[in-house]
């Protein structure tokens, strides 16, 4: 790509050997008509709070913790994980167009990372996906999951 100073003709802007505008001539700016409001497109991604619960046969606690820590490394949006030797809970924020997309990603999370993170062969036994407003409303009203702190992987 060839860069030129403003007001000088570039090869792409030359028509019949002359520039499309004279040197130093300002280009007209366009704007939105007065009174017109900007509206967000309806299908923009939103934030969803996901709680994924998995359970299965007993596994050594050290291996469960190491697997969840690897999952947190592979999936950097994880907020917190709690675990025991036969179950775990993973909480994180997912950006998705709608609840269906967020739930689909959540339902694939454990299976897709089972091999790479060496997670136990547990099954998903629970899934909650709520929008950001509902999450904050629940916290403000004193029920629902408290804010995920401390962030990280912790035993139950």
């Amino acid at each position: 790509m060839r860069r030129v100073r403003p007001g000088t003709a570039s090869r792409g802007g030359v028509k019949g050997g002359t520039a499309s505008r004279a040197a130093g001539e300002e280009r007209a700016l366009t704007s939105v008509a007065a009174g017109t409001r900007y509206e967000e497109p309806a299908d923009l991604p939103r934030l969803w709070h996901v709680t994924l619960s998995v359970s299965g046969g007993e596994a050594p606690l050290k291996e469960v913790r190491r697997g969840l820590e690897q999952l947190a490394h592979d999936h950097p949006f994880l907020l917190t994980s709690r675990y025991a030797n036969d179950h775990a809970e993973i909480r994180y924020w997912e950006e998705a167009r709608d609840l269906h997309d967020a739930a689909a990603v959540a339902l694939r999370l454990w299976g897709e990372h089972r091999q790479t993170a060496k997670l136990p062969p547990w099954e998903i036994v629970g899934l909650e996906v709520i929008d950001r407003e509902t999450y904050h409303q629940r916290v403000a009203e004193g029920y629902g999951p408290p804010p995920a702190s401390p962030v990280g992987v912790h035993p139950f």
Side-chain angles (χ1 to χ4, degrees):
M1 181 166 129
R2 185 173 164 242
R3 296 184 186 258
V4 296
R5 288 190 314 204
T8 61
S10 68
R11 284 183 227 184
V14 175
K15 252 187 188 171
T18 62
S20 58
R21 61 178 180 207
E25 182 181 337
E26 298 269 339
R27 186 171 54 168
L29 298 176
T30 59
S31 64
V32 177
T36 303
R37 270 183 8 172
Y38 172 77
E39 292 185 25
E40 292 275 339
D43 62 348
L44 280 182
R46 296 166 43 194
L47 282 177
W48 301 89
H49 187 267
V50 176
T51 304
L52 182 69
S53 300
V54 294
S55 181
E58 289 190 14
L61 284 176
K62 282 185 173 185
E63 290 180 23
V64 174
R65 180 180 181 91
R66 190 215 35 78
L68 290 172
E69 287 172 344
Q70 183 63 47
L71 178 62
H73 181 270
D74 295 345
H75 193 81
F77 301 106
L78 274 142
L79 291 175
T80 188
S81 297
R82 298 186 306 164
Y83 66 94
N85 63 348
D86 64 347
H87 66 283
E89 178 185 270
I90 302 163
R91 295 175 49 203
Y92 66 97
W93 289 99
E94 182 68 56
E95 185 176 34
R97 183 175 44 90
D98 57 24
L99 181 133
H100 297 280
D101 289 350
V105 170
L107 289 170
R108 290 192 314 264
L109 179 71
W110 190 262
E112 287 181 356
H113 290 274
R114 186 177 290 154
Q115 294 298 323
T116 58
K118 297 185 176 126
L119 296 166
W122 295 343
E123 67 176 330
I124 297 172
V125 295
L127 173 65
E128 180 185 55
V129 181
I130 56 176
D131 68 354
R132 185 177 181 176
E133 293 76 26
T134 302
Y135 174 83
H136 289 297
Q137 180 182 4
R138 285 183 179 182
V139 170
E141 291 174 356
Y143 66 95
S149 61
V151 171
V153 178
H154 308 284
F156 270 105

